[in-house]
Amino acid sequence: GQQVMQIPQYQHVQEGEDFTTYCNSSTTLSNIQWYKQRPGGHPVFLIQLVKSGEVKKQKRLTFQFGEAKKNSSLHITATQTTDVGTYFCAGITSGTYKYIFGTGTRLKVLA
Amino acid sequence: NAGVTQTPKFQVLKTGQSMTLQCAQDMNHEYMSWYRQDPGMGLRLIHYSVGAGITDQGEVPNGYNVSRSTTEDFPLRLLSAAPSQTSVYFCASRTGIKNTEAFFGQGTRLTVV
């Protein structure tokens, strides 16, 4: 079945450093979505990418969708303490109705 | 708008007991799903529904039943609770199947002893 892995599982950074999490799917995806979950909270939608090679930016966050539509990345420039949380990617394979989430990357930012 | 409402927020069960986790949404969303979250394993899909009267299995359906008699409600039933079902459970809804964001409930923290 479809599997979505994320690396790294954990990342500790000093405030102001950059951070990147990578998402890899075993199958080609129709789209990729990214979510953020604050400690003790629920996942909240950040963005969706649909096209091969697509790049989108949200302030300090840059999202990429791979050319083969099997991988994606989220890059945060100059992290802040408000970036703390777990970041999940999620995608759906064409012909299925199952949104599969990645294993998540937990980010800690040290002030 | 309340969005997606899950009840209860916390629950402790004894092994072998059954219970139902409730999920209701007031956004008229067609697509609803249940996930469980365990450390290091992300969010795993248990069951999902693409509309009233239609349900299907996700990645980890064993030990769980669902039904979708109305658009608004999507309860998750644990038939005979086991310690391996100790987890945080999230219900989510989407407008439709493709290219739609998920709205999550606040979660239910379930402990099976």
Side-chain angles (χ1 to χ4, degrees), chain B residues 46-104:
Chain B
I46 305 172
H47 286 285
Y48 66 97
S49 168
V50 299
I54 306 168
T55 63
D56 206 346
Q57 296 181 349
E59 302 170 275
V60 288
N62 291 343
Y64 307 95
N65 273 358
V66 291
S67 60
R68 186 93 181 271
S69 56
T70 67
T71 299
E72 294 77 21
D73 300 299
F74 191 44
L76 178 71
R77 281 183 288 276
L78 280 70
L79 308 173
S80 177
S84 60
Q85 293 179 304
T86 293
S87 187
V88 179
Y89 291 85
F90 286 101
C91 177
S93 73
R94 298 171 186 265
T95 307
I97 297 168
K98 283 281 185 73
N99 299 333
T100 58
E101 68 179 274
F103 294 86
F104 282 83

Side-chain angles (χ1 to χ4, degrees), chain A residues 1 4 8 20 23 25 28 30 35 37 44 46 51 57-58 73 93 99 102-103 105 110:
Chain A
V4 181
T20 303
C23 173
S25 170
T28 302
S30 294
Y35 293 79
Q37 182 180 28
V44 175
L46 293 176
K51 298 176 183 177
K57 292 190 176 184
Q58 284 182 350
S73 65
T93 300
Y99 270 94
T103 47
T105 296
L110 306 173

Side-chain angles (χ1 to χ4, degrees), chain A residues 19 32-38 44-49 54-64 73-80 82-83 87-88, chain B residues 101:
Chain A
F19 160 77
I32 193 84
Q33 298 180 341
W34 284 92
Y35 293 79
K36 177 182 179 181
Q37 182 180 28
R38 294 184 186 276
V44 175
F45 176 81
L46 293 176
I47 206 163
Q48 175 176 269
L49 303 159
E54 189 170 11
V55 177
K56 286 189 176 181
K57 292 190 176 184
Q58 284 182 350
K59 297 183 180 178
R60 297 177 293 104
L61 278 62
T62 302
F63 304 84
Q64 292 188 320
S73 65
L74 158 59
H75 179 82
I76 302 178
T77 303
T79 54
Q80 300 176 356
T82 53
D83 296 324
Y87 292 85
F88 292 100
Chain B
E101 68 179 274

